[in-house]
Amino acid sequence: MKTTKKSRALILTIIGIILAVYILFPFYLVVLNAFKKQTAIVASPVSIAGASIAQLVTNLNAVVNNSNFQFWYAFGTSAVVTIISLVLLALFGAMAAWVISRNNKKKWATAVYMVFVASMIIPFQVVMLPLISTFRDVGKFIGISMLQSIPGIVFAYCGFGGAMTVFILTGFIKGIPYDLEEAAAIDGCSPEGTFFKIIFPLLKPVITTVTILNGMWIWNDYLLPSLMLGQNGKVKTLPVAVQAFVGSYVKQWDLILTAALLAILPMIILFLFAQKQIMHGMVEGAVKG
Protein backbone atom coordinates (compact mmCIF):
# COMPACT_ATOMS: atom_id res chain seq x y z
CA MET A 1 0.00 0.00 0.00
CA LYS A 2 2.81 2.43 0.92
CA THR A 3 4.65 1.57 -2.29
CA THR A 4 1.51 2.27 -4.31
CA LYS A 5 1.04 5.66 -2.64
CA LYS A 6 4.69 6.58 -3.23
CA SER A 7 4.46 5.55 -6.87
CA ARG A 8 1.30 7.56 -7.35
CA ALA A 9 2.86 10.60 -5.68
CA LEU A 10 5.95 10.26 -7.87
CA ILE A 11 3.86 10.05 -11.05
CA LEU A 12 1.81 13.09 -10.04
CA THR A 13 5.00 15.01 -9.24
CA ILE A 14 6.46 14.20 -12.64
CA ILE A 15 3.24 15.24 -14.38
CA GLY A 16 3.20 18.47 -12.39
CA ILE A 17 6.78 19.26 -13.34
CA ILE A 18 6.07 18.60 -17.03
CA LEU A 19 2.99 20.86 -16.95
CA ALA A 20 4.93 23.60 -15.12
CA VAL A 21 7.72 23.50 -17.70
CA TYR A 22 5.20 23.54 -20.55
CA ILE A 23 3.36 26.55 -19.11
CA LEU A 24 6.43 28.54 -18.05
CA PHE A 25 8.53 27.89 -21.16
CA PRO A 26 7.11 30.87 -23.16
CA PHE A 27 7.76 33.15 -20.20
CA TYR A 28 11.31 31.79 -20.00
CA LEU A 29 11.87 32.66 -23.65
CA VAL A 30 10.58 36.21 -23.16
CA VAL A 31 12.75 36.89 -20.11
CA LEU A 32 15.87 35.21 -21.47
CA ASN A 33 15.81 36.86 -24.88
CA ALA A 34 15.18 40.30 -23.40
CA PHE A 35 18.80 40.03 -22.19
CA LYS A 36 20.14 39.35 -25.70
CA LYS A 37 20.97 41.06 -28.94
CA GLN A 38 19.02 40.31 -32.10
CA THR A 39 21.84 38.17 -33.52
CA ALA A 40 22.07 36.03 -30.36
CA ILE A 41 18.31 35.44 -30.37
CA VAL A 42 18.33 34.29 -33.99
CA ALA A 43 21.35 32.05 -33.37
CA SER A 44 19.84 30.27 -30.35
CA PRO A 45 16.66 31.56 -28.68
CA VAL A 46 16.77 28.87 -25.97
CA SER A 47 20.43 29.13 -24.94
CA ILE A 48 21.69 31.61 -22.35
CA ALA A 49 24.67 32.40 -24.55
CA GLY A 50 24.86 36.11 -25.30
CA ALA A 51 22.58 37.16 -22.44
CA SER A 52 23.78 40.02 -20.28
CA ILE A 53 22.40 42.69 -17.96
CA ALA A 54 24.08 45.40 -20.01
CA GLN A 55 22.18 44.28 -23.09
CA LEU A 56 18.92 44.27 -21.12
CA VAL A 57 19.53 47.88 -20.10
CA THR A 58 20.25 48.75 -23.73
CA ASN A 59 17.05 47.05 -24.87
CA LEU A 60 15.01 48.76 -22.17
CA ASN A 61 16.31 52.19 -23.15
CA ALA A 62 15.60 51.49 -26.83
CA VAL A 63 12.03 50.42 -26.09
CA VAL A 64 11.10 53.06 -23.52
CA ASN A 65 12.48 55.91 -25.61
CA ASN A 66 11.03 54.65 -28.89
CA SER A 67 8.46 57.07 -30.33
CA ASN A 68 6.58 54.24 -32.08
CA PHE A 69 5.93 52.45 -28.81
CA GLN A 70 5.13 55.42 -26.51
CA PHE A 71 5.65 53.24 -23.45
CA TRP A 72 4.91 55.80 -20.75
CA TYR A 73 1.73 57.00 -22.45
CA ALA A 74 0.46 53.42 -22.87
CA PHE A 75 1.53 52.57 -19.30
CA GLY A 76 -0.34 55.59 -17.95
CA THR A 77 -3.45 54.73 -19.96
CA SER A 78 -3.42 51.15 -18.66
CA ALA A 79 -2.92 52.39 -15.10
CA VAL A 80 -5.81 54.87 -15.32
CA VAL A 81 -8.17 52.35 -16.92
CA THR A 82 -7.23 49.63 -14.42
CA ILE A 83 -7.48 51.80 -11.29
CA ILE A 84 -10.80 53.43 -12.20
CA SER A 85 -12.31 50.10 -13.22
CA LEU A 86 -11.18 48.41 -9.99
CA VAL A 87 -12.55 51.18 -7.78
CA LEU A 88 -15.94 51.08 -9.50
CA LEU A 89 -16.07 47.28 -9.48
CA ALA A 90 -15.24 47.10 -5.77
CA LEU A 91 -17.75 49.79 -4.79
CA PHE A 92 -20.74 48.87 -6.93
CA GLY A 93 -20.02 45.14 -6.74
CA ALA A 94 -20.07 45.28 -2.94
CA MET A 95 -23.33 47.25 -2.98
CA ALA A 96 -25.00 44.77 -5.31
CA ALA A 97 -23.70 41.76 -3.38
CA TRP A 98 -24.93 43.21 -0.08
CA VAL A 99 -28.44 43.81 -1.39
CA ILE A 100 -28.63 40.36 -2.99
CA SER A 101 -27.30 38.49 0.06
CA ARG A 102 -29.65 40.27 2.47
CA ASN A 103 -32.67 39.57 0.25
CA ASN A 104 -31.69 36.06 -0.81
CA LYS A 105 -35.11 34.64 0.15
CA LYS A 106 -36.89 36.94 -2.27
CA LYS A 107 -37.42 35.78 -5.85
CA TRP A 108 -36.22 38.98 -7.48
CA ALA A 109 -32.89 38.83 -5.61
CA THR A 110 -32.41 35.20 -6.64
CA ALA A 111 -33.23 36.07 -10.24
CA VAL A 112 -30.73 38.94 -10.28
CA TYR A 113 -28.05 36.72 -8.73
CA MET A 114 -28.69 34.00 -11.33
CA VAL A 115 -28.30 36.58 -14.10
CA PHE A 116 -24.89 37.52 -12.72
CA VAL A 117 -23.85 33.88 -12.46
CA ALA A 118 -25.18 33.01 -15.93
CA SER A 119 -23.29 35.91 -17.50
CA MET A 120 -20.02 34.39 -16.32
CA ILE A 121 -20.37 31.43 -18.69
CA ILE A 122 -21.11 33.46 -21.83
CA PRO A 123 -17.97 33.61 -24.02
CA PHE A 124 -16.81 37.12 -24.85
CA GLN A 125 -16.51 36.15 -28.52
CA VAL A 126 -20.29 35.76 -28.69
CA VAL A 127 -20.99 39.36 -27.70
CA MET A 128 -17.95 41.25 -28.97
CA LEU A 129 -19.39 42.33 -32.33
CA PRO A 130 -22.85 43.34 -30.96
CA LEU A 131 -20.98 45.10 -28.14
CA ILE A 132 -19.14 47.41 -30.53
CA SER A 133 -22.34 48.28 -32.38
CA THR A 134 -24.22 48.90 -29.13
CA PHE A 135 -21.48 51.11 -27.70
CA ARG A 136 -21.36 53.13 -30.91
CA ASP A 137 -25.13 53.74 -30.73
CA VAL A 138 -25.02 54.55 -27.01
CA GLY A 139 -22.22 57.04 -27.60
CA LYS A 140 -24.27 58.83 -30.26
CA PHE A 141 -27.31 58.90 -27.96
CA ILE A 142 -25.60 60.30 -24.83
CA GLY A 143 -23.13 62.48 -26.69
CA ILE A 144 -20.06 60.80 -25.17
CA SER A 145 -17.83 58.64 -27.33
CA MET A 146 -17.84 55.10 -25.96
CA LEU A 147 -15.33 53.84 -28.53
CA GLN A 148 -11.70 54.92 -28.59
CA SER A 149 -12.10 56.53 -25.18
CA ILE A 150 -11.25 55.75 -21.58
CA PRO A 151 -14.86 56.11 -20.26
CA GLY A 152 -16.07 53.54 -22.78
CA ILE A 153 -13.45 50.91 -21.97
CA VAL A 154 -13.93 51.45 -18.22
CA PHE A 155 -17.69 50.99 -18.60
CA ALA A 156 -17.10 47.76 -20.53
CA TYR A 157 -14.74 46.39 -17.88
CA CYS A 158 -17.24 47.18 -15.14
CA GLY A 159 -19.84 45.21 -17.06
CA PHE A 160 -17.70 42.17 -17.77
CA GLY A 161 -16.02 42.11 -14.37
CA GLY A 162 -19.14 42.72 -12.32
CA ALA A 163 -20.38 39.12 -12.47
CA MET A 164 -17.37 37.52 -10.81
CA THR A 165 -17.08 40.37 -8.32
CA VAL A 166 -20.69 40.05 -7.20
CA PHE A 167 -20.45 36.25 -7.12
CA ILE A 168 -17.45 36.21 -4.77
CA LEU A 169 -18.62 39.09 -2.57
CA THR A 170 -22.12 37.64 -2.16
CA GLY A 171 -20.72 34.41 -0.77
CA PHE A 172 -18.56 36.33 1.68
CA ILE A 173 -21.32 38.68 2.87
CA LYS A 174 -23.61 35.72 3.66
CA GLY A 175 -21.12 34.78 6.38
CA ILE A 176 -21.35 38.18 8.08
CA PRO A 177 -23.83 38.04 11.02
CA TYR A 178 -27.00 39.99 10.34
CA ASP A 179 -27.07 40.95 14.03
CA LEU A 180 -24.48 43.65 13.32
CA GLU A 181 -26.83 45.40 10.93
CA GLU A 182 -29.79 45.05 13.27
CA ALA A 183 -27.77 46.60 16.10
CA ALA A 184 -26.77 49.48 13.84
CA ALA A 185 -30.40 50.04 12.82
CA ILE A 186 -31.46 50.13 16.47
CA ASP A 187 -28.82 52.80 17.11
CA GLY A 188 -30.33 54.89 14.34
CA CYS A 189 -27.85 54.15 11.56
CA SER A 190 -29.24 54.50 8.04
CA PRO A 191 -28.88 51.65 5.48
CA GLU A 192 -26.19 53.65 3.69
CA GLY A 193 -24.34 54.23 6.94
CA THR A 194 -24.64 50.55 7.84
CA PHE A 195 -23.07 49.54 4.55
CA PHE A 196 -20.17 52.00 4.54
CA LYS A 197 -19.41 51.95 8.28
CA ILE A 198 -19.97 48.26 9.10
CA ILE A 199 -20.23 45.99 6.06
CA PHE A 200 -17.72 47.55 3.68
CA PRO A 201 -14.80 47.55 6.18
CA LEU A 202 -15.44 43.86 6.87
CA LEU A 203 -15.11 43.11 3.15
CA LYS A 204 -11.49 44.26 2.99
CA PRO A 205 -9.93 40.75 2.63
CA VAL A 206 -12.24 39.57 -0.14
CA ILE A 207 -12.24 42.96 -1.90
CA THR A 208 -8.47 42.73 -1.98
CA THR A 209 -8.79 39.33 -3.64
CA VAL A 210 -11.26 40.38 -6.35
CA THR A 211 -9.31 43.59 -6.93
CA ILE A 212 -6.13 41.62 -7.60
CA LEU A 213 -7.90 39.11 -9.85
CA ASN A 214 -9.70 41.81 -11.82
CA GLY A 215 -6.55 43.93 -11.92
CA MET A 216 -4.48 41.17 -13.51
CA TRP A 217 -7.22 40.50 -16.05
CA ILE A 218 -7.77 44.15 -16.98
CA TRP A 219 -4.06 44.98 -17.17
CA ASN A 220 -3.22 41.98 -19.39
CA ASP A 221 -6.37 42.05 -21.55
CA TYR A 222 -5.81 42.57 -25.25
CA LEU A 223 -8.98 41.58 -27.11
CA LEU A 224 -11.45 44.06 -25.59
CA PRO A 225 -9.14 47.13 -25.83
CA SER A 226 -8.14 46.20 -29.39
CA LEU A 227 -11.81 46.13 -30.40
CA MET A 228 -12.92 49.24 -28.53
CA LEU A 229 -9.80 51.39 -28.86
CA GLY A 230 -8.49 50.13 -32.19
CA GLN A 231 -4.92 49.48 -33.30
CA ASN A 232 -4.47 52.97 -34.74
CA GLY A 233 -6.41 54.97 -32.17
CA LYS A 234 -4.86 57.66 -29.98
CA VAL A 235 -5.82 55.85 -26.77
CA LYS A 236 -3.89 52.59 -26.32
CA THR A 237 -3.43 50.30 -23.37
CA LEU A 238 -0.09 48.57 -22.92
CA PRO A 239 -1.01 45.22 -24.60
CA VAL A 240 -2.41 47.08 -27.64
CA ALA A 241 0.71 49.26 -27.80
CA VAL A 242 2.92 46.16 -27.68
CA GLN A 243 1.01 44.63 -30.57
CA ALA A 244 1.34 47.83 -32.61
CA PHE A 245 5.05 47.88 -31.75
CA VAL A 246 5.42 44.32 -33.05
CA GLY A 247 3.91 45.50 -36.33
CA SER A 248 6.56 48.19 -36.58
CA TYR A 249 9.49 45.90 -35.71
CA VAL A 250 8.66 42.54 -37.20
CA LYS A 251 12.24 41.21 -37.13
CA GLN A 252 13.73 43.01 -34.11
CA TRP A 253 12.97 40.32 -31.55
CA ASP A 254 15.20 41.89 -28.91
CA LEU A 255 12.96 44.98 -28.80
CA ILE A 256 9.73 43.02 -29.22
CA LEU A 257 10.44 40.65 -26.33
CA THR A 258 11.69 43.48 -24.11
CA ALA A 259 8.44 45.35 -24.75
CA ALA A 260 6.46 42.22 -23.86
CA LEU A 261 8.47 41.84 -20.66
CA LEU A 262 7.74 45.44 -19.67
CA ALA A 263 4.03 44.86 -20.23
CA ILE A 264 3.72 41.75 -18.06
CA LEU A 265 6.24 42.63 -15.35
CA PRO A 266 3.93 44.75 -13.11
CA MET A 267 1.32 42.00 -12.82
CA ILE A 268 3.95 39.33 -12.17
CA ILE A 269 5.32 41.36 -9.27
CA LEU A 270 1.80 41.97 -7.95
CA PHE A 271 0.90 38.28 -8.11
CA LEU A 272 4.10 37.17 -6.37
CA PHE A 273 3.38 39.46 -3.44
CA ALA A 274 -0.37 38.80 -3.28
CA GLN A 275 -0.80 35.12 -4.18
CA LYS A 276 -1.52 34.10 -0.58
CA GLN A 277 -4.18 36.79 -0.30
CA ILE A 278 -5.75 35.62 -3.55
CA MET A 279 -6.03 31.99 -2.43
CA HIS A 280 -7.22 32.95 1.06
CA GLY A 281 -9.96 35.21 -0.26
CA MET A 282 -11.13 32.71 -2.89
CA VAL A 283 -11.35 29.82 -0.40
CA GLU A 284 -12.97 31.91 2.33
CA GLY A 285 -15.56 33.35 -0.05
CA ALA A 286 -16.38 29.92 -1.47
CA VAL A 287 -16.77 28.31 1.99
CA LYS A 288 -18.98 31.09 3.27
CA GLY A 289 -21.04 30.96 0.09
Side-chain angles (χ1 to χ4, degrees), residues 3 24 26 30 72 75 77 84 104 106 118 138 141 150 157 183 192 213-215 221 227 246 249 258 271:
T3 304
L24 293 176
V30 171
W72 292 115
F75 184 91
T77 301
I84 295 176
N104 60 340
K106 298 180 180 179
V138 170
F141 179 76
I150 291 179
Y157 277 131
E192 295 81 6
L213 292 174
N214 284 326
D221 187 34
L227 290 172
V246 172
Y249 295 90
T258 303
F271 180 79

mmCIF file of all heavy atoms in Angstrom, residues 3 24 26 30 72 75 77 84 104 106 118 138 141 150 157 183 192 213-215 221 227 246 249 258 271:
data_model
loop_
_atom_site.group_PDB
_atom_site.id
_atom_site.type_symbol
_atom_site.label_atom_id
_atom_site.label_comp_id
_atom_site.label_asym_id
_atom_site.label_seq_id
_atom_site.Cartn_x
_atom_site.Cartn_y
_atom_site.Cartn_z
ATOM 1 N N THR A 3 3.950 1.491 -1.008
ATOM 2 C CA THR A 3 4.652 1.575 -2.288
ATOM 3 C C THR A 3 3.755 2.163 -3.364
ATOM 4 O O THR A 3 4.180 2.984 -4.189
ATOM 5 C CB THR A 3 5.143 0.182 -2.719
ATOM 6 O OG1 THR A 3 5.960 -0.381 -1.685
ATOM 7 C CG2 THR A 3 5.943 0.268 -4.011
ATOM 8 N N LEU A 24 5.474 27.466 -18.311
ATOM 9 C CA LEU A 24 6.429 28.537 -18.045
ATOM 10 C C LEU A 24 7.443 28.729 -19.166
ATOM 11 O O LEU A 24 8.163 29.735 -19.168
ATOM 12 C CB LEU A 24 7.183 28.251 -16.737
ATOM 13 C CG LEU A 24 6.343 28.290 -15.464
ATOM 14 C CD1 LEU A 24 7.197 27.880 -14.262
ATOM 15 C CD2 LEU A 24 5.745 29.670 -15.241
ATOM 16 N N PRO A 26 7.198 29.590 -22.420
ATOM 17 C CA PRO A 26 7.109 30.872 -23.156
ATOM 18 C C PRO A 26 7.602 32.061 -22.344
ATOM 19 O O PRO A 26 8.263 32.960 -22.877
ATOM 20 C CB PRO A 26 5.608 30.982 -23.475
ATOM 21 C CG PRO A 26 5.107 29.588 -23.445
ATOM 22 C CD PRO A 26 5.895 28.907 -22.376
ATOM 23 N N VAL A 30 10.714 34.752 -23.178
ATOM 24 C CA VAL A 30 10.584 36.213 -23.162
ATOM 25 C C VAL A 30 11.652 36.846 -22.269
ATOM 26 O O VAL A 30 12.345 37.789 -22.663
ATOM 27 C CB VAL A 30 9.179 36.623 -22.686
ATOM 28 C CG1 VAL A 30 9.105 38.133 -22.459
ATOM 29 C CG2 VAL A 30 8.124 36.205 -23.697
ATOM 30 N N TRP A 72 5.456 55.129 -21.931
ATOM 31 C CA TRP A 72 4.910 55.801 -20.747
ATOM 32 C C TRP A 72 3.458 56.234 -20.954
ATOM 33 O O TRP A 72 2.660 56.190 -20.018
ATOM 34 C CB TRP A 72 5.776 57.003 -20.379
ATOM 35 C CG TRP A 72 7.126 56.601 -19.888
ATOM 36 C CD1 TRP A 72 8.338 56.851 -20.468
ATOM 37 C CD2 TRP A 72 7.408 55.846 -18.699
ATOM 38 N NE1 TRP A 72 9.358 56.299 -19.726
ATOM 39 C CE2 TRP A 72 8.814 55.683 -18.629
ATOM 40 C CE3 TRP A 72 6.608 55.297 -17.697
ATOM 41 C CZ2 TRP A 72 9.434 54.985 -17.598
ATOM 42 C CZ3 TRP A 72 7.223 54.601 -16.661
ATOM 43 C CH2 TRP A 72 8.615 54.459 -16.620
ATOM 44 N N PHE A 75 1.507 52.991 -20.698
ATOM 45 C CA PHE A 75 1.529 52.566 -19.301
ATOM 46 C C PHE A 75 0.557 53.404 -18.471
ATOM 47 O O PHE A 75 -0.202 52.867 -17.651
ATOM 48 C CB PHE A 75 2.947 52.702 -18.744
ATOM 49 C CG PHE A 75 3.102 52.211 -17.338
ATOM 50 C CD1 PHE A 75 3.451 50.897 -17.081
ATOM 51 C CD2 PHE A 75 2.906 53.067 -16.255
ATOM 52 C CE1 PHE A 75 3.595 50.442 -15.774
ATOM 53 C CE2 PHE A 75 3.037 52.622 -14.960
ATOM 54 C CZ PHE A 75 3.396 51.306 -14.707
ATOM 55 N N THR A 77 -2.079 55.047 -19.562
ATOM 56 C CA THR A 77 -3.452 54.727 -19.962
ATOM 57 C C THR A 77 -3.920 53.442 -19.296
ATOM 58 O O THR A 77 -5.042 53.373 -18.766
ATOM 59 C CB THR A 77 -3.549 54.583 -21.490
ATOM 60 O OG1 THR A 77 -3.133 55.806 -22.106
ATOM 61 C CG2 THR A 77 -4.972 54.264 -21.908
ATOM 62 N N ILE A 84 -9.401 52.978 -12.212
ATOM 63 C CA ILE A 84 -10.801 53.434 -12.197
ATOM 64 C C ILE A 84 -11.750 52.240 -12.249
ATOM 65 O O ILE A 84 -12.749 52.185 -11.512
ATOM 66 C CB ILE A 84 -11.074 54.389 -13.375
ATOM 67 C CG1 ILE A 84 -10.252 55.668 -13.212
ATOM 68 C CG2 ILE A 84 -12.561 54.735 -13.445
ATOM 69 C CD1 ILE A 84 -10.392 56.628 -14.378
ATOM 70 N N ASN A 104 -31.850 37.308 -0.056
ATOM 71 C CA ASN A 104 -31.695 36.062 -0.806
ATOM 72 C C ASN A 104 -32.932 35.171 -0.790
ATOM 73 O O ASN A 104 -33.047 34.256 -1.602
ATOM 74 C CB ASN A 104 -30.488 35.278 -0.269
ATOM 75 C CG ASN A 104 -30.660 34.920 1.209
ATOM 76 O OD1 ASN A 104 -31.458 35.537 1.919
ATOM 77 N ND2 ASN A 104 -29.894 33.952 1.664
ATOM 78 N N LYS A 106 -35.930 36.337 -1.355
ATOM 79 C CA LYS A 106 -36.889 36.937 -2.275
ATOM 80 C C LYS A 106 -36.561 36.511 -3.706
ATOM 81 O O LYS A 106 -35.398 36.395 -4.088
ATOM 82 C CB LYS A 106 -36.866 38.458 -2.155
ATOM 83 C CG LYS A 106 -37.279 38.946 -0.754
ATOM 84 C CD LYS A 106 -37.253 40.460 -0.669
ATOM 85 C CE LYS A 106 -37.665 40.931 0.729
ATOM 86 N NZ LYS A 106 -37.634 42.412 0.854
ATOM 87 N N ALA A 118 -25.049 33.494 -14.552
ATOM 88 C CA ALA A 118 -25.184 33.015 -15.929
ATOM 89 C C ALA A 118 -24.285 33.803 -16.883
ATOM 90 O O ALA A 118 -23.741 33.245 -17.845
ATOM 91 C CB ALA A 118 -26.638 33.111 -16.377
ATOM 92 N N VAL A 138 -24.880 53.895 -28.317
ATOM 93 C CA VAL A 138 -25.024 54.553 -27.012
ATOM 94 C C VAL A 138 -24.232 55.856 -26.979
ATOM 95 O O VAL A 138 -24.696 56.875 -26.457
ATOM 96 C CB VAL A 138 -24.565 53.610 -25.880
ATOM 97 C CG1 VAL A 138 -24.471 54.358 -24.549
ATOM 98 C CG2 VAL A 138 -25.520 52.434 -25.750
ATOM 99 N N PHE A 141 -26.105 58.497 -28.693
ATOM 100 C CA PHE A 141 -27.309 58.903 -27.957
ATOM 101 C C PHE A 141 -26.977 59.824 -26.779
ATOM 102 O O PHE A 141 -27.653 60.836 -26.567
ATOM 103 C CB PHE A 141 -28.040 57.653 -27.446
ATOM 104 C CG PHE A 141 -29.273 57.961 -26.660
ATOM 105 C CD1 PHE A 141 -30.442 58.353 -27.299
ATOM 106 C CD2 PHE A 141 -29.276 57.869 -25.276
ATOM 107 C CE1 PHE A 141 -31.593 58.640 -26.565
ATOM 108 C CE2 PHE A 141 -30.413 58.152 -24.534
ATOM 109 C CZ PHE A 141 -31.579 58.541 -25.190
ATOM 110 N N ILE A 150 -11.416 56.394 -22.880
ATOM 111 C CA ILE A 150 -11.247 55.748 -21.576
ATOM 112 C C ILE A 150 -12.586 55.481 -20.889
ATOM 113 O O ILE A 150 -12.783 54.391 -20.328
ATOM 114 C CB ILE A 150 -10.317 56.602 -20.689
ATOM 115 C CG1 ILE A 150 -8.890 56.554 -21.241
ATOM 116 C CG2 ILE A 150 -10.344 56.111 -19.240
ATOM 117 C CD1 ILE A 150 -7.887 57.376 -20.462
ATOM 118 N N TYR A 157 -15.382 47.230 -18.891
ATOM 119 C CA TYR A 157 -14.738 46.390 -17.882
ATOM 120 C C TYR A 157 -15.615 46.232 -16.643
ATOM 121 O O TYR A 157 -15.637 45.160 -16.023
ATOM 122 C CB TYR A 157 -13.376 46.975 -17.497
ATOM 123 C CG TYR A 157 -12.273 46.598 -18.444
ATOM 124 C CD1 TYR A 157 -11.405 47.557 -18.961
ATOM 125 C CD2 TYR A 157 -12.085 45.273 -18.835
ATOM 126 C CE1 TYR A 157 -10.388 47.207 -19.838
ATOM 127 C CE2 TYR A 157 -11.073 44.918 -19.707
ATOM 128 C CZ TYR A 157 -10.229 45.893 -20.208
ATOM 129 O OH TYR A 157 -9.226 45.539 -21.074
ATOM 130 N N ALA A 183 -28.235 45.740 15.004
ATOM 131 C CA ALA A 183 -27.774 46.603 16.100
ATOM 132 C C ALA A 183 -27.532 48.022 15.596
ATOM 133 O O ALA A 183 -27.856 49.005 16.288
ATOM 134 C CB ALA A 183 -26.499 46.028 16.707
ATOM 135 N N GLU A 192 -27.454 53.247 4.316
ATOM 136 C CA GLU A 192 -26.190 53.649 3.691
ATOM 137 C C GLU A 192 -25.051 53.675 4.706
ATOM 138 O O GLU A 192 -23.932 53.222 4.425
ATOM 139 C CB GLU A 192 -26.343 55.033 3.061
ATOM 140 C CG GLU A 192 -27.331 55.104 1.913
ATOM 141 C CD GLU A 192 -28.775 55.221 2.391
ATOM 142 O OE1 GLU A 192 -28.978 55.365 3.626
ATOM 143 O OE2 GLU A 192 -29.687 55.162 1.554
ATOM 144 N N LEU A 213 -7.499 39.953 -8.718
ATOM 145 C CA LEU A 213 -7.898 39.115 -9.851
ATOM 146 C C LEU A 213 -8.365 39.968 -11.029
ATOM 147 O O LEU A 213 -7.953 39.750 -12.177
ATOM 148 C CB LEU A 213 -9.007 38.153 -9.417
ATOM 149 C CG LEU A 213 -8.604 37.059 -8.424
ATOM 150 C CD1 LEU A 213 -9.829 36.279 -7.970
ATOM 151 C CD2 LEU A 213 -7.581 36.121 -9.041
ATOM 152 N N ASN A 214 -9.234 40.923 -10.746
ATOM 153 C CA ASN A 214 -9.704 41.812 -11.819
ATOM 154 C C ASN A 214 -8.569 42.668 -12.367
ATOM 155 O O ASN A 214 -8.521 42.949 -13.568
ATOM 156 C CB ASN A 214 -10.831 42.712 -11.298
ATOM 157 C CG ASN A 214 -12.144 41.975 -11.157
ATOM 158 O OD1 ASN A 214 -12.456 41.077 -11.938
ATOM 159 N ND2 ASN A 214 -12.934 42.344 -10.162
ATOM 160 N N GLY A 215 -7.665 43.088 -11.477
ATOM 161 C CA GLY A 215 -6.550 43.927 -11.916
ATOM 162 C C GLY A 215 -5.638 43.198 -12.891
ATOM 163 O O GLY A 215 -5.227 43.771 -13.912
ATOM 164 N N ASP A 221 -5.387 42.298 -20.487
ATOM 165 C CA ASP A 221 -6.369 42.054 -21.545
ATOM 166 C C ASP A 221 -5.962 42.738 -22.850
ATOM 167 O O ASP A 221 -5.542 43.905 -22.849
ATOM 168 C CB ASP A 221 -7.742 42.561 -21.100
ATOM 169 C CG ASP A 221 -8.827 42.181 -22.088
ATOM 170 O OD1 ASP A 221 -8.737 41.093 -22.696
ATOM 171 O OD2 ASP A 221 -9.772 42.967 -22.262
ATOM 172 N N LEU A 227 -10.534 45.919 -29.700
ATOM 173 C CA LEU A 227 -11.808 46.128 -30.399
ATOM 174 C C LEU A 227 -12.360 47.527 -30.140
ATOM 175 O O LEU A 227 -12.840 48.194 -31.059
ATOM 176 C CB LEU A 227 -12.831 45.077 -29.947
ATOM 177 C CG LEU A 227 -12.584 43.640 -30.403
ATOM 178 C CD1 LEU A 227 -13.565 42.704 -29.728
ATOM 179 C CD2 LEU A 227 -12.707 43.525 -31.920
ATOM 180 N N VAL A 246 4.995 45.510 -32.313
ATOM 181 C CA VAL A 246 5.416 44.318 -33.049
ATOM 182 C C VAL A 246 5.225 44.531 -34.544
ATOM 183 O O VAL A 246 6.041 44.113 -35.364
ATOM 184 C CB VAL A 246 4.628 43.087 -32.569
ATOM 185 C CG1 VAL A 246 4.906 41.883 -33.463
ATOM 186 C CG2 VAL A 246 4.977 42.757 -31.129
ATOM 187 N N TYR A 249 8.186 46.560 -35.781
ATOM 188 C CA TYR A 249 9.493 45.904 -35.712
ATOM 189 C C TYR A 249 9.306 44.392 -35.811
ATOM 190 O O TYR A 249 9.466 43.658 -34.837
ATOM 191 C CB TYR A 249 10.202 46.263 -34.402
ATOM 192 C CG TYR A 249 10.539 47.721 -34.307
ATOM 193 C CD1 TYR A 249 9.636 48.628 -33.756
ATOM 194 C CD2 TYR A 249 11.749 48.209 -34.780
ATOM 195 C CE1 TYR A 249 9.937 49.979 -33.677
ATOM 196 C CE2 TYR A 249 12.060 49.552 -34.710
ATOM 197 C CZ TYR A 249 11.155 50.426 -34.157
ATOM 198 O OH TYR A 249 11.461 51.748 -34.085
ATOM 199 N N THR A 258 11.502 42.537 -25.223
ATOM 200 C CA THR A 258 11.689 43.476 -24.108
ATOM 201 C C THR A 258 10.408 44.260 -23.844
ATOM 202 O O THR A 258 10.033 44.494 -22.687
ATOM 203 C CB THR A 258 12.843 44.446 -24.414
ATOM 204 O OG1 THR A 258 14.032 43.701 -24.682
ATOM 205 C CG2 THR A 258 13.091 45.366 -23.237
ATOM 206 N N PHE A 271 1.354 39.633 -8.438
ATOM 207 C CA PHE A 271 0.901 38.277 -8.109
ATOM 208 C C PHE A 271 1.841 37.604 -7.114
ATOM 209 O O PHE A 271 1.398 36.910 -6.202
ATOM 210 C CB PHE A 271 0.795 37.435 -9.380
ATOM 211 C CG PHE A 271 0.337 36.024 -9.116
ATOM 212 C CD1 PHE A 271 -0.997 35.752 -8.903
ATOM 213 C CD2 PHE A 271 1.244 34.978 -9.081
ATOM 214 C CE1 PHE A 271 -1.427 34.456 -8.644
ATOM 215 C CE2 PHE A 271 0.838 33.688 -8.836
ATOM 216 C CZ PHE A 271 -0.507 33.427 -8.615
#
